[in-house]
Amino acid sequence: GALFLRWYGARRRAIEEEVAMPSAPFAAVVLFILFIFLFGTSIAMFVDRLEIRGTIVAVKTPVLSAPDMAATPLFDLFEGMEVIVRDTRRIEDDTWRRIYYPGGNTGWVRDRDVLTSVDPSARAFAFKLGDGT
């Protein structure tokens, strides 16, 4: 920003004194483009961190069209595949997760078939307050 302000001040003085205009600030333009790129990258990283990710832990699990075992299966996911969890619903005694599989496929799976990154049981080290560890 300071390079642009300095250039603008020199341009204004050149107009007042009726002398040749200063050349465009090449370094300021390059730094501005770099700033926009880094700012956009940091926003994209922030948005990506807001998504809940999960890993399929069942050997093979059908992705259903609705949170019900009688719903139509859309496609199958296999153990180790990464998904994005969009929604969680508790229906009667089952908990269901609406997942998004990269490529545009979305559907419902049982909670026990997907391990999410926000589950307390999924943490490698779980400390309890007051136990001295």
Side-chain angles (χ1 to χ4, degrees):
L3 294 174
F4 275 122
L5 291 176
R6 207 175 316 154
W7 172 75
Y8 184 72
R11 185 176 183 271
R12 189 169 157 204
R13 279 191 301 280
I15 291 173
E16 289 173 357
E17 297 170 4
E18 295 181 1
V19 294
M21 294 285 220
S23 61
F26 179 73
V29 171
V30 170
L31 289 175
F32 180 73
I33 291 171
L34 181 65
F35 171 77
I36 294 297
F37 173 74
L38 292 176
F39 182 73
T41 303
S42 65
I43 294 296
M45 288 173 59
F46 176 75
V47 169
D48 185 57
R49 299 280 297 180
L50 293 176
E51 293 180 341
I52 300 172
R53 299 197 181 273
T55 304
I56 301 298
V57 293
V59 175
K60 179 180 173 183
T61 184
V63 179
L64 306 172
S65 61
D68 183 15
M69 286 306 291
T72 306
L74 301 172
F75 56 95
D76 291 326
L77 291 177
F78 300 96
E79 185 176 14
M81 292 181 144
E82 185 177 322
V83 295
I84 297 171
V85 178
R86 298 283 189 205
D87 191 14
T88 302
R89 287 192 188 160
R90 183 155 178 83
I91 299 175
E92 296 173 5
D93 294 334
D94 283 337
T95 303
W96 293 85
R97 305 251 181 171
R98 184 169 62 93
I99 57 106
Y100 168 78
Y101 183 71
N105 299 322
T106 186
W108 293 88
V109 296
R110 287 185 139 163
D111 180 52
R112 66 179 180 222
D113 293 339
V114 61
L115 180 67
T116 60
S117 58
V118 294
D119 287 339
S121 62
R123 295 189 182 142
F125 301 101
F127 296 105
K128 296 178 184 174
L129 294 176
D131 66 355
T133 57

